Amino acid sequence: MLVTEKLTRPLTEAKYLNADNADRYRSIMRIFYENYEKLRYWMYQEEVYAEMTADPYFADYRMEQCQQDLAMLTEWKNLSTIQDTRRVSSIEEFKNKKFRYQMSEYSVEIERLVVRLENLFIEGASLEPTLLERIRLNVERFPEMEFAEPDVVYGWWNDLNNDFIRLNQNYQDYMRDLNSVKAEEMMRTQQFLVFKDKLIEYLRNFIKGLQKNVGVIEETLRLLDPALLERVLDRVNDYEMSIPRMDVEISREMIEEKTRGRFESIRNWFAAEGGQENEAGRLFDATNEIIRRITRYAAQLSEKNALGANRREEYKKVAEIFLKCQDMDEAHRMAAMVFGLEKPLHLRLASDRATDSMNQSVYAEPAAELILKPRVRTYRERSGRTSIQDASREKQQMRKQALEQMRADWKKLSELEQGGRIDFERLPVIEPRVREILLKWLSDALEDGGYSARTEDGRNFTLDMTHADERCVVRCQDGNFTMPKLSIVFQEGAL
């Protein structure tokens, strides 16, 4: 992709399609477009107002609104204006600036697109083998165009490109319709059997056109002399450069790039290079795949209808057999024959046998039990109901043990305190439980900005960080570890 100024600039010409009062703007632009097709390029404000108010929808439309709408469309570059001085008879009329309005080039193309979108489902798409025939004939005329008149060359080139554009767009739109969800649902209905033969015949005719013309076009393009091609394309460029254009600056490079790009699109569509599959081959495969899918759905529908018909005949035959039964006993036996299982299935549990003897009969072995569970998501096994047990004694016992453990911990910690502080450098060999409590106190104090914290029994303490840059070794029953030389200083009381 080449990012240019035209690509990045905002498209203000399309604002009138979705802006406020879009019904008025679109109606005015449709009036200009219809007059444009009648070769009436310039219109006055009074003429636009007259056509607007002719419709009952705009019965309350005022001249001031028309003037404002035309001014807004001019600001969005949908209309271009010129002051009409031919009918001016006084200075006052000249000051009032009576304008004539004309559609811009962008607006013409936008309205053409809108009209096409409005008729999209009415026009539809199609596969036309005649387009392939015409493209083949025009491609074969390449050598003739070297010496033909310039206007003939330019007309031939436009015909070739227009046919190719129509072919490319029509096949894409038609394939999109056949691969849509709506078409998929239609193929599953009984009504599809009515016109499926006609659709298959239509697609096969198009495939015949592909097979007949694509090979010739591909061979012609591959054997085309590059020098001859350049001379013909130069003649097309020369004629297009000679066309007078108003207010449009077109360079030779732009025209050559456009012409070369169009030819490369045609050549890649029919004769792709580099070992890649061309677009014509993809279209051929896609069309065949659609035919196979149509045939498959039609066969399924036919089998469904035939199956229903066969079942009706079978039920009728069974009813006749039951009518011939002499009594209820014979009818019961017949029912067991008709509706019973012809080959009943037996369940066997994969468990260890009581004996490995090959002479042991299965009837002599004990029966095995297999509990079957429903295979649904909502199934839940039934849980047995139990009464609430009184655990107050166990809780009291656990509380008592916890308090005893806590008293034992406080006693061990009080033995470590000397003068209201605990120095890690002077600690004796301590237990892992005591080490965990001390390290927890350190962690709580280090998380505080003032290096202070509170123990579990409510005593406040601070850390002495005076010798924090030095190291000491704390000895424990399960090993030693090195840490900064810190001290825990209690602020009141003793453990």
Side-chain angles (χ1 to χ4, degrees):
M1 180 184 69
L2 179 62
V3 179
T4 61
E5 183 180 358
K6 290 183 179 180
L7 178 62
T8 57
R9 81 170 184 86
L11 196 62
T12 58
E13 290 86 351
K15 280 187 176 182
Y16 76 94
L17 295 174
N18 292 296
D20 295 336
N21 301 322
D23 55 341
R24 287 159 34 188
Y25 297 140
R26 292 191 60 182
S27 300
I28 291 174
M29 294 305 297
R30 186 56 56 88
I31 291 173
F32 274 95
Y33 180 72
E34 290 175 353
N35 283 273
Y36 176 88
E37 290 188 323
K38 299 174 185 177
L39 304 183
R40 291 184 59 199
Y41 303 120
W42 295 95
M43 295 186 68
Y44 290 95
Q45 175 182 328
E46 293 78 10
E47 295 174 341
V48 176
Y49 178 75
E51 292 203 30
M52 289 284 286
T53 54
D55 194 291
Y57 183 84
F58 294 103
D60 299 332
Y61 194 58
R62 301 188 306 276
M63 181 66 76
E64 294 79 8
Q65 291 177 316
C66 182
Q67 184 177 2
Q68 294 173 2
D69 294 342
L70 291 174
M72 186 58 66
L73 290 171
T74 303
E75 181 180 346
W76 288 336
K77 300 180 182 180
N78 295 112
L79 299 176
S80 56
T81 62
I82 186 172
Q83 187 176 2
D84 187 9
T85 58
R86 293 179 302 173
R87 302 181 183 179
V88 175
S89 58
S90 64
I91 296 178
E92 190 66 26
E93 292 182 358
F94 183 80
K95 289 181 179 180
N96 290 333
K97 292 184 180 180
K98 191 171 186 179
F99 292 107
R100 288 190 300 165
Y101 298 88
Q102 183 188 36
M103 288 185 77
S104 63
E105 293 84 354
Y106 272 48
S107 300
V108 173
E109 295 301 326
I110 291 173
E111 274 300 306
R112 282 176 179 165
L113 173 62
V114 172
V115 172
R116 184 169 177 266
L117 291 176
E118 291 173 356
N119 300 320
L120 184 62
F121 296 103
I122 299 176
E123 295 177 358
S126 60
L127 300 176
E128 302 179 23
T130 55
L131 289 176
L132 290 165
E133 185 77 18
R134 289 164 55 180
I135 292 174
R136 179 181 64 82
L137 294 175
N138 282 326
V139 169
E140 291 176 343
R141 293 181 62 193
F142 257 100
E144 302 176 15
M145 295 301 110
E146 184 178 5
F147 305 103
E149 295 295 328
D151 56 342
V152 176
V153 176
Y154 191 71
W156 159 81
W157 177 251
N158 282 336
D159 291 341
L160 176 60
N161 280 274
N162 291 334
D163 291 340
F164 174 71
I165 292 173
R166 283 186 58 193
L167 172 66
N168 198 27
Q169 292 179 350
N170 286 353
Y171 106 80
Q172 291 176 355
D173 294 343
Y174 196 79
M175 290 301 171
R176 177 202 62 201
D177 294 340
L178 290 180
N179 288 285
S180 63
V181 176
K182 185 177 180 181
E184 192 80 13
E185 294 175 351
M186 183 65 181
M187 292 180 185
R188 300 176 184 273
T189 61
Q190 295 292 336
Q191 292 81 357
F192 178 67
L193 294 175
V194 177
F195 62 93
K196 64 97 177 176
D197 293 333
K198 184 177 181 181
L199 178 58
I200 292 177
E201 184 65 22
Y202 179 76
L203 295 175
R204 285 176 176 170
N205 288 336
F206 180 71
I207 289 179
K208 291 178 182 178
L210 277 175
Q211 294 173 333
K212 178 181 178 182
N213 297 288
V214 169
V216 179
I217 297 174
E218 181 180 3
E219 188 68 18
T220 303
L221 291 174
R222 291 188 186 279
L223 298 178
L224 190 62
D225 185 13
L228 171 64
L229 172 64
E230 294 298 329
R231 290 193 294 270
V232 173
L233 295 183
D234 285 340
R235 300 199 65 192
V236 174
N237 298 331
D238 293 339
Y239 186 86
E240 192 158 357
M241 282 294 297
S242 65
I243 299 175
R245 292 178 174 85
M246 301 293 293
D247 299 331
V248 178
E249 295 183 3
I250 296 180
S251 63
R252 177 82 179 190
E253 290 77 12
M254 294 174 59
I255 294 179
E256 289 178 352
E257 182 180 357
K258 182 191 71 172
T259 306
R260 173 61 63 178
R262 289 186 174 181
F263 176 77
E264 291 298 331
S265 298
I266 295 174
R267 178 157 59 184
N268 292 335
W269 207 93
F270 292 100
E273 298 180 354
Q276 298 181 355
E277 185 181 9
N278 55 28
E279 195 67 23
R282 296 192 187 97
L283 175 58
F284 182 82
D285 295 338
T287 308
N288 279 327
E289 178 60 29
I290 290 176
I291 293 176
R292 285 193 292 268
R293 187 172 54 179
I294 292 172
T295 306
R296 184 170 64 252
Y297 279 128
Q300 292 176 359
L301 291 173
S302 300
E303 290 177 1
K304 185 177 180 180
N305 294 337
L307 181 62
N310 293 339
R311 286 292 177 87
R312 286 194 296 269
E313 294 297 327
E314 290 177 2
Y315 293 153
K316 184 179 179 181
K317 183 65 176 178
V318 169
E320 292 177 355
I321 293 176
F322 274 103
L323 287 175
K324 295 179 180 179
C325 293
Q326 301 296 328
D327 51 18
M328 288 297 297
D329 185 60
E330 185 178 355
H332 286 318
R333 292 198 301 271
M334 182 59 65
M337 178 63 69
V338 174
F339 302 110
L341 294 176
E342 182 181 356
K343 295 180 180 179
L345 300 179
H346 299 276
L347 297 178
R348 179 177 179 274
L349 187 63
S351 60
D352 296 336
R353 296 181 59 189
T355 177
D356 293 333
S357 174
M358 59 181 297
N359 298 321
Q360 182 74 18
S361 173
V362 293
Y363 296 102
E365 295 184 8
E369 293 185 0
L370 176 64
I371 300 176
L372 300 179
K373 298 181 180 180
R375 300 180 62 181
V376 293
R377 296 182 179 179
T378 57
Y379 173 72
R380 295 290 184 274
E381 292 187 9
R382 181 177 298 177
S383 57
R385 296 181 179 180
T386 58
S387 59
I388 299 176
Q389 301 293 332
D390 184 9
S392 56
R393 178 177 295 182
E394 289 79 0
K395 292 181 181 179
Q396 187 68 23
Q397 184 68 24
M398 292 177 63
R399 183 173 180 275
K400 182 179 179 181
Q401 292 176 0
L403 290 175
E404 291 177 353
Q405 179 66 39
M406 187 180 299
R407 293 191 190 98
D409 293 339
W410 295 142
K411 182 179 180 181
K412 295 175 182 177
L413 290 169
S414 64
E415 294 174 355
L416 301 177
E417 182 180 348
Q418 297 177 0
R421 59 188 295 147
I422 298 176
D423 296 323
F424 283 89
E425 181 185 13
R426 300 176 181 177
L427 290 177
V429 179
I430 59 177
E431 298 177 2
R433 173 66 181 172
V434 175
R435 180 190 62 206
E436 292 177 3
I437 297 175
L438 293 176
L439 291 180
K440 181 181 182 303
W441 291 355
L442 283 180
S443 176
D444 294 342
L446 290 173
E447 291 178 357
D448 184 72
Y451 300 111
S452 61
R454 179 178 293 182
T455 64
E456 289 78 0
D457 60 343
R459 298 183 67 196
N460 296 324
F461 68 89
T462 58
L463 290 183
D464 184 0
M465 308 290 291
T466 305
H467 303 284
D469 54 344
E470 301 179 13
R471 293 290 181 269
C472 67
V473 178
V474 179
R475 297 179 298 279
C476 305
Q477 293 180 354
D478 55 352
N480 303 332
F481 69 94
T482 304
M483 61 171 289
K485 189 184 295 183
L486 303 177
S487 299
I488 297 177
V489 181
F490 295 100
Q491 296 180 358
E492 74 279 340
L495 283 174

